[in-house]
Amino acid sequence: MNYHSGALRRSLFLALSALAHPVAALADSTQDTAVAGPVTVLPAVTVSADKVDRPLEKVPASVAVIDGQDIEQSGITTMEQLEGRIPGLSFQPFGQAGMEAPVMRGLTAGIHSYASSMLMLVDDVPTMMAQGFENSFLDVDRVEVLRGPQSTLYGRNAEAGVIAIHSQPMDEVSRATVSTDIGSRDKRELRFALSAPLVADTLYGSISGAVLKQDGFIRNTYTGGKDDDRDHQDLNMGLRWTPSEATDIVARYVRQDYDDGATRWGNVGDPRAKVASGTPSWNHSLGQTLSVNASHELDSGLRLRSITAYNDYHDDVLQDTDFRPAQTLYIGRDNHMRTLSQEFRVEGQMGRADWLVGLYGDRGDNDLRNFTLRSPTFYDYRANLKTSSVALFSNWNLPLTDAWTLSAGARVERMTAAISPAGGTHKSEDWEYFSPKLTLQYQFNPQNQWYITAGRGVRAGGYNVFVSTLDYPSYAPEEIWSYETGFKGWVLDQRLRYAIDTYLMKIDNMQVQVQVQPAVGLIYTASAARATAKGVELDLDYLLAEGWQLLGGLAWNRTTYDSFQDGTASYAGNYNSFAPKLTGHADVRYTAPNGWYAQAGVVGTSKIYLDPANRYERNGYGLVNLVTGYRKGDWEVATYANNVANKRYDAVGYNAGYYTVYSPPREVGLRLTWRK
């Protein structure tokens, strides 16, 4: 059955109608509700959207938050599961673990641009490309998603927003969690998290990890097996040192190891989820990060902060692309990408105003290799891509009166890219960006505010590192001006938290995929389009009655090309690739006093186009997900069903019409958790 934009609307309506026949809930992850008594107000939420801790309702920006309890009970263990759960956020359908290209407010970046339209921060460690844009959400305190340009504070590659993942703190509280999960397709998963003080008031440590094995669902009729098995290992380690009350130093190491089978691809027109591949396909990628986050508060009240991070990702993949027994077509990647970044900043207060000034720099060293067999010819493309940037930024929050606040910030950044292709000529180019932002906020009563903001976002320029026939052409930075206004706050005696905003973005030098003369059939990235994006976003968290809670959100976006000439074809008026009109979710939860809980929800998006000509598409979908469980003492058992109706939302015609990216089928399972 084909689901388009109406699918999400119908699914959201059905989920909301479930209020008349409640079937869902959420258990308290820290205390027994029978002891704690009924919850009558929603809990306060603190975020650090502007690098300063503030209540969610006080931040003059579009921010969505999922706390660790919600993540754990909803079974969110991959970045892709945030699609729709954060209205406005989705991902390009690619089908390979560890490779996620985000889409926010209609903006996204190509896989081979080695840049991203959104920045991912995991405990302040940046990931700026689709390669390694993944997280297993181990021992997470909360996930903050900032929608809209954040280039002023976070630089290039935050033009559409930021996903900030915050781990549980290391402190005097000892914690231990072990969880096992068995499910469909012989799924076996073990997750654990431990945190404890090592030396009282001085040294703390944490370790968490996960091991996942699961059979695939794409049948290989040639080998008789399943091609897309999944085998992941994750490890996070942390150490915190507080030599004094004024000094705090946190070191972290994170490792993501993949030993997977094939990408979830097949031929367009072939029977669904069936291949006859004679070429073994695999993903042996490995990601590692190491970081040190240090802060010190001076006697004057100034706070100094230093964030040093090293990110290393090895993208190691072989993929059959004819899906036939004979070895005639395949592609492979052997890319090694390394980024070292350093941020220094000073934070302080001046009367009622708070401010920060920072200096940021990074250096990337990427050894890139793409190879392909197009029988009888084997092509091997190699290049080294070096990048560097340095930036100075500042942000001020200035109360004008008791009700009015002005926030102003600016960033000046210089970025250099240099390519050294094998057998080619070394080339380099640099760009300078200025990214200002101005926000006016009106607190019309203590619990509700209105804001209006204007700002500039930038995505880095770069090189087409594998397009030798056109001498490795460069493309310019993508630039946007964004205008946004919104309301947010509490109503109904703090039982309903809401946020609604609307925005308009004008995009210049839009980085798009083009196919032009003189190399007919050659597809590469160029700054060849102008576009307009506009939309509305809504988030709700409603405490309906004792034990009952409704969470929901909906985002509407329309991103179309104002001008885009691809050879003789004009795509003016077409929709941007991978940008859905609608994304959203609705969840109803119920917590019983005796420890039982249940949750029912729907999440989905409308259809997306896979190419600028809008010829190929992935149909829209609405997925129903169910969880029910029981908690007693330190133990919890839960059953779950994801994609209950087994909806299919394959991307048919991915990569200029060549492939189908298969959507995963229904999954049911049992999860047993012990926590202390």
Side-chain angles (χ1 to χ4, degrees), residues 18 21-25 542-550 588-591:
H21 303 281
V23 292
Y542 184 25
L543 194 62
L544 298 164
E546 184 177 341
W548 292 91
Q549 188 176 6
L550 168 69
V588 186
R589 304 172 171 179
Y590 176 71
T591 304

Side-chain angles (χ1 to χ4, degrees), residues 225-256:
K226 299 294 179 63
D227 260 19
D228 58 317
D229 294 349
R230 294 294 182 254
D231 188 347
H232 305 165
Q233 297 86 41
D234 296 270
L235 177 66
N236 300 349
M237 296 190 294
L239 198 63
R240 180 186 177 205
W241 182 39
T242 56
S244 68
E245 290 186 2
T247 304
D248 197 329
I249 302 173
V250 177
R252 296 185 185 273
Y253 171 75
V254 177
R255 179 185 177 95
Q256 298 173 315

Side-chain angles (χ1 to χ4, degrees), residues 71-72 74-82 134-138 181 187 189 191 210 212 232 234 256 258 642 667 671:
I71 288 170
E72 183 178 346
S74 298
I76 295 174
T77 59
T78 66
M79 191 67 67
E80 188 178 12
Q81 289 174 280
L82 296 182
E134 184 58 279
N135 194 273
S136 294
F137 301 103
L138 290 163
D181 192 327
K187 178 182 179 182
E189 184 174 21
R191 296 167 66 89
L212 168 68
H232 305 165
D234 296 270
Q256 298 173 315
Y258 301 94
N642 296 328
E667 182 176 306
R671 183 166 55 243

Side-chain angles (χ1 to χ4, degrees), residues 250-291:
V250 177
R252 296 185 185 273
Y253 171 75
V254 177
R255 179 185 177 95
Q256 298 173 315
D257 202 345
Y258 301 94
D259 190 16
D260 291 352
T263 301
R264 290 171 176 164
W265 290 3
N267 263 335
V268 172
D270 282 359
R272 186 181 189 274
K274 287 186 179 180
V275 297
S277 294
T279 303
S281 299
W282 38 258
N283 171 19
H284 296 163
S285 299
L286 172 65
Q288 300 180 87
T289 62
L290 182 64
S291 65

Side-chain angles (χ1 to χ4, degrees), residues 296-304 347-349:
H296 179 74
E297 187 169 344
L298 303 176
D299 293 339
S300 62
L302 293 179
R303 178 173 291 276
L304 310 178
E347 306 163 1
Q349 287 190 301

